[in-house]
Amino acid sequence: MSDYLMHTYARQPITFVRGEGPWLYDDNDRRYLDAISGIAVCGLGHAHPAVSDAVCEQARTLMHTSNLYQVETQSRLGQRLCTLAGMDAAFFSNSGAEANEAAIKIARLYGHNHHIAEPEIVVMEHSFHGRTLATLSATGNRKVQAGFEPLVRGFVRAPYGDIEAVRQIAANRPNVVAVLVEPVQGEGGICIPPDDYLNGLRSLCDEHGWLLMLDEIQSGMGRAGRWFAHQLNGIRPDVMTLAKALGNGMPIGACLACGEAARTFAPGNHGSTFGGNPLACRTALAVIDAIESNGLVERAAALGQRMLAGLHDGLSGRSGVTDIRGLGLLLGIELDRPCAELVERAREQGLLINVTAGNVIRLLPPLIIDDAQAQAIVDGVVALVREFLSSTPEG
């Protein structure tokens, strides 16, 4: 099969054939505890009954109409998300990268509407916003960009978490119109900024007439212990992007906006053939219902604290562990050496984890895991890290 696929992924030698809750089963019927959730996609775990029922029912009724027509489920989903986020309007796409493309286009149009001919957007080092040409240009990871030059112009980069650096940009770059930032950097290594960072960015944006655009593609939909991570700061962005857990496996992304940003696009400015079709929107509505009815936002906050405490109990102070951090069910353990081989070691023991930024173990378990499963993840990771550090030299 691999001969007929482009080699765009370094795939692990395993094939999953079914899933149930937090468990995945391979083609030998061996089960694995999924502590990465399809990279934060399956917040409700695998084959969630309510989501599966919604998909099947909608597929039997109407899967797709184009955006030439009214889409009732799209209108309902837009209303639900805007109510949850305190926003005014939504645009639906197929992915997070497309949602960020919409945000970037809103910022540029906003700039032109304010008579700035070459608008610029402040983006952050070590960020990740997607792999389309514009979003990889915004991304702060040279590995993602290498080979695809010339990159899209119009991005100004700042160190993540450094509000003074953004203040310096404001003093010297009159063409800046927006800031695009993740409340928590996921791909960058579960990096959590200082508590007042987002508030500082909000103030700078207000002072200079910029749009504050938050990429909540990994941190949103309850994972951070709030519906959206920025709500912990008591602020409201002008633009917010979502995807991943919004569809629990059904491809869907969203760009939400409020105020002037919500009125920037006019017919013809942007669009998507599949974005916001009845099947994807009905699925996302079922996802929201399931998160709400099961109290999973609050559950993510409480469980995340317990898992973080467990990781600290097992690994804090151990030579080779440089940091343990987390927000809700976004958890990271940073080591002082490359540790990608831990993914294979964990898989051999029936546990699925991820390593990002080369030396950060990233845990993104489903929000539906029970206490015993959460403890099993903590115990498994602690044992793996201890064994790894005792058997490998410093990097």
Side-chain angles (χ1 to χ4, degrees):
M1 180 185 295
S2 61
D3 290 344
Y4 295 94
L5 299 175
M6 291 189 185
H7 296 294
T8 51
Y9 304 101
R11 299 179 194 270
Q12 298 175 41
I14 190 168
T15 301
F16 294 114
V17 295
R18 65 186 176 93
E20 182 179 354
W23 301 100
L24 280 170
Y25 294 80
D26 69 12
D27 46 7
N28 292 312
D29 207 33
R30 183 187 178 192
R31 75 175 188 174
Y32 299 78
L33 184 54
D34 185 1
I36 192 64
S37 304
I39 315 181
V41 167
C42 299
L44 296 174
H46 302 280
H48 189 280
V51 177
S52 297
D53 288 347
V55 170
C56 293
E57 182 178 322
Q58 188 63 46
R60 285 193 296 266
T61 305
L62 181 66
M63 291 177 66
H64 179 80
T65 61
S66 82
N67 284 300
L68 291 171
Y69 311 107
Q70 303 292 324
V71 181
E72 188 269 341
T73 51
Q74 187 180 125
S75 297
R76 280 199 287 141
L77 179 59
Q79 180 182 32
R80 290 289 294 277
L81 288 173
C82 286
T83 300
L84 289 171
M87 305 294 270
D88 294 336
F91 170 83
F92 290 106
S93 60
N94 309 292
S95 67
E98 290 171 271
N100 280 335
E101 286 273 350
I104 291 166
K105 288 181 69 174
I106 286 173
R108 288 196 168 194
L109 267 181
Y110 173 85
H112 286 294
N113 290 344
H114 286 256
H115 311 293
I116 296 176
E118 296 190 14
E120 297 178 319
I121 301 170
V122 179
V123 293
M124 306 304 161
E125 294 175 359
H126 307 299
S127 60
F128 184 83
H129 298 296
R131 295 180 185 274
T132 64
L133 196 53
T135 57
L136 74 83
S137 299
T139 289
N141 182 339
R142 181 60 190 146
K143 289 182 179 177
V144 174
Q145 299 169 339
F148 299 105
E149 300 84 355
L151 302 178
V152 174
R153 296 184 303 146
F155 297 105
V156 183
R157 209 163 303 285
Y160 187 61
D162 186 346
I163 194 67
E164 185 56 34
V166 182
R167 192 170 286 120
Q168 290 296 317
I169 290 171
N172 294 289
R173 306 291 292 241
N175 287 347
V176 169
V177 297
V179 175
L180 174 61
V181 63
E182 299 158 278
V184 178
Q185 287 189 337
E187 296 292 326
I190 310 295
C191 300
I192 302 168
D195 290 343
D196 59 352
Y197 180 58
L198 293 182
N199 301 81
L201 290 177
R202 178 70 274 176
S203 296
L204 274 175
C205 287
D206 290 341
E207 181 181 348
H208 294 280
W210 300 348
L211 300 178
L212 178 61
M213 308 198 300
L214 299 184
D215 179 339
E216 292 254 20
I217 288 166
Q218 190 161 138
S219 59
M221 301 307 295
R223 180 160 293 280
R226 293 291 184 94
W227 272 102
F228 312 107
H230 72 268
Q231 292 174 334
L232 290 162
N233 294 75
I235 62 167
R236 184 173 71 159
D238 301 292
V239 178
M240 179 179 73
T241 54
L242 296 171
K244 288 190 179 290
L246 178 58
N248 208 63
M250 177 66 69
I252 180 170
C255 178
L256 309 183
C258 67
E260 184 177 348
R263 301 186 296 273
T264 300
F265 279 156
N269 285 150
H270 200 48
S272 170
T273 296
F274 298 107
N277 76 14
L279 185 63
C281 290
R282 174 67 186 280
T283 306
L285 285 165
V287 169
I288 295 171
D289 287 342
I291 292 174
E292 280 188 338
S293 62
N294 291 285
L296 294 180
V297 176
E298 298 77 12
R299 172 74 174 163
L303 200 56
Q305 287 183 351
R306 290 218 303 274
M307 292 183 71
L308 188 62
L311 293 169
H312 274 290
D313 288 344
L315 295 172
S316 286
R318 184 164 289 271
S319 177
V321 177
T322 57
D323 196 17
I324 302 167
R325 50 188 179 253
L327 183 65
L329 290 176
L330 292 139
L331 299 163
I333 304 107
E334 183 173 339
L335 306 184
D336 67 351
R337 66 203 69 179
C339 59
E341 66 187 79
L342 274 174
V343 173
E344 182 177 352
R345 293 191 187 192
R347 191 182 68 244
E348 289 171 349
Q349 298 182 25
L351 178 62
L352 303 178
I353 64 171
N354 174 250
V355 168
T356 188
N359 64 335
V360 179
I361 301 159
R362 177 171 53 169
L363 303 177
L364 305 166
L367 280 56
I368 48 88
I369 56 172
D370 63 27
D371 291 352
Q373 291 157 352
Q375 189 61 49
I377 293 170
V378 170
D379 292 344
V381 169
V382 166
L384 280 164
V385 171
R386 288 181 172 184
E387 178 189 5
F388 173 74
L389 291 175
S390 66
S391 63
T392 56
E394 294 184 10

